[in-house]
Every structure is written in C-alpha cells, then in structure tokens.
Amino acid sequence: MAQGSIHQHGSDVRDERSKELKDVFELFSTDKDKKRLMPGDLEVVLRCVGIKQSDRDGLERKLKDESGGDDSPIEFRTFEAMVGDMLESGGPQESEILEAFKVFDREGNGYISAAELKHLLVGMPDDLDEGEIESRIQDQFVDGDGLINYQEFVRAINEMASSKQ
C-alpha cells in the first residue's frame, strides 16, 4: 500500500468520526443553529459517542472549563477537538494507568496482588462478571506468588485494545 493511500485512509476515518460526532452533537443541541450544546446534555452525548464512564467525568470538566464554566454552552469545534482526541487516543495513556496502579502497590516493587486487581476490575462498568475476571487474571497474569506485574498487565490490555481497533 502506498504511503499516500495510508494517509488518505486515516483522513477518511477522521472525516467519518467528525461527521458522527457532529450528528450526535446536533441531535442533542437545543439552539436553533445546532452549534452549541448545553452542559446538562453533555453526559448523555459523551455516552452516545462511546466515551467510557471512567473517562467521562474528566472530559466533561475539561469541556466545561474550556467553554467558560458550568453554565456556558459548548461549541461544536471545542467538543470535536477534545472528544476526537480522546477517541483517537483510545482513552487514558499507559503512563496514566500505571500511575493509578502505583496507589495499590504497597511495597513499591511493581506488583499488586491478584485479589486487589480482581477487586478493582469487578467494580468497573464492563460486561465481565466476577468469574470471568478471576479466570482471566489467573490464566494470564498471576505469578507463582499470587502477584501481578501491573506494567505487563497494562501493556497486555493496551495490546488487546489496539488489536480490536
């Protein structure tokens, strides 16, 4: 495949995503020009475009701050730039996830217990039940001491997510 066609495909994907974002934005926009979104509608719009609950709060706060506060309408260009970036990046970066895991790394050695990870994952809004989570953790990530190297875990999860895109 030629370099130009790779660039074109990326451009096509961005154009399609921009159109989808605009369609959802306009569906919930209540102003006559369909160019602004009220902050109260933001959570449902973010859910509609596929932003996970764990990412919605921070993104919602950034959008409101960028637009001038909690009561200020959000313009499409601001919405598109921030939401598009998050969708393109796939959510939080590996370094952010690793920092979150460090909270549970009591010994500071790069490991957390399988029980702690299971507890964290059971509370997340995914389609996996407790048994599936435990099975996946035990089968793939637990060492002989019942510990998980969370750097390896995060890399594996990111690789799985990348392969699905």
Side-chain angles (χ1 to χ4, degrees), residues 78-140:
T78 302
F79 174 82
E80 180 185 31
M82 290 187 159
V83 173
D85 285 349
M86 175 159 281
L87 291 172
E88 191 170 297
S89 74
Q93 299 300 312
E94 186 172 314
S95 61
E96 295 170 320
I97 297 169
L98 290 172
E99 285 300 314
F101 271 108
K102 286 181 182 179
V103 171
F104 299 97
D105 181 6
R106 293 186 179 111
E107 312 250 335
N109 61 3
Y111 289 88
I112 62 172
S113 75
E116 287 173 316
L117 181 59
K118 177 182 157 193
H119 178 74
L120 289 171
L121 295 177
V122 167
M124 296 187 75
D126 279 331
D127 296 332
L128 297 177
D129 65 34
E130 190 171 340
E132 290 175 305
I133 290 170
E134 187 168 341
S135 174
R136 288 185 181 189
I137 291 171
Q138 290 296 330
D139 292 347
Q140 298 177 1

Side-chain angles (χ1 to χ4, degrees), residues 138-149:
Q138 290 296 330
D139 292 347
Q140 298 177 1
F141 302 107
V142 179
D143 69 10
D145 295 327
L147 297 175
I148 297 168
N149 180 317

